[in-house]
Amino acid sequence: MSKQTLELLTETFRIHSLPPGRAVPSCVFESPIFFIGKTFDELSIVCPESIEVDSLESEGGWGALEVLGPLGFSLTGILSNISGVLAAQNISIFAISTFDTDYILVKQVTMSRAISALRKQGYTVLTEHS
């Protein structure tokens, strides 16, 4: 399988945890990019740090790498391979998948190491400086 191209998004994200019965704050829907996940136990929201959400817990300082797609559902191992490269460097990730692609969130303080590790393994990583 060929290596995918990833692109570094310019936004810095915050991951929020809320109770499952809580409504999603309207400010989230006004954001240009956001991700929402809800289970029986929690509501998670990932949005730019500039969006203020009153949450139980949150963690900021995340950058995002988008796997440029669209990716077909028949493709396998994409997220596994990328996360394996980063795990080998002790770089923690928060992964999000959409219909068309995957996003790998990495703490901003480790982003340059993550990009370097991915490039060494043959991935193309586009940044505003590349």
Side-chain angles (χ1 to χ4, degrees):
M1 173 188 342
S2 65
K3 305 281 174 124
Q4 284 67 40
T5 297
L6 297 95
E7 182 172 14
L8 176 64
L9 302 185
T10 57
E11 292 83 359
T12 301
F13 292 89
R14 179 171 291 278
I15 303 169
H16 298 273
S17 177
L18 295 91
R22 172 104 178 267
V24 176
S26 60
C27 61
V28 172
F29 296 114
E30 297 166 10
S31 173
I33 184 170
F34 60 87
F35 305 93
I36 299 170
K38 183 176 179 179
T39 68
F40 296 112
D41 300 321
E42 70 169 316
L43 170 63
S44 292
I45 299 172
V46 178
C47 60
E49 284 192 318
S50 60
I51 305 298
E52 298 216 10
V53 175
D54 181 23
S55 52
L56 296 173
E57 230 181 300
S58 72
E59 185 171 324
W62 294 87
L65 295 166
E66 175 184 357
V67 181
L68 297 182
L71 306 174
F73 286 121
S74 63
L75 296 176
T76 60
I78 294 170
L79 195 54
S80 173
N81 291 339
I82 293 169
S83 65
V85 169
L86 299 177
Q89 298 298 312
N90 291 323
I91 298 172
S92 211
I93 70 165
F94 185 92
I96 301 171
S97 294
T98 67
F99 189 90
D100 284 338
T101 194
D102 296 316
Y103 293 83
I104 295 89
L105 276 64
V106 174
K107 292 296 276 187
Q108 287 286 62
V109 296
T110 60
M111 184 60 78
S112 60
R113 282 192 319 122
I115 291 171
S116 176
L118 289 163
R119 286 177 172 160
K120 284 180 184 172
Q121 291 299 313
Y123 290 91
T124 299
V125 182
L126 305 175
T127 65
E128 60 185 8
H129 304 293
S130 38

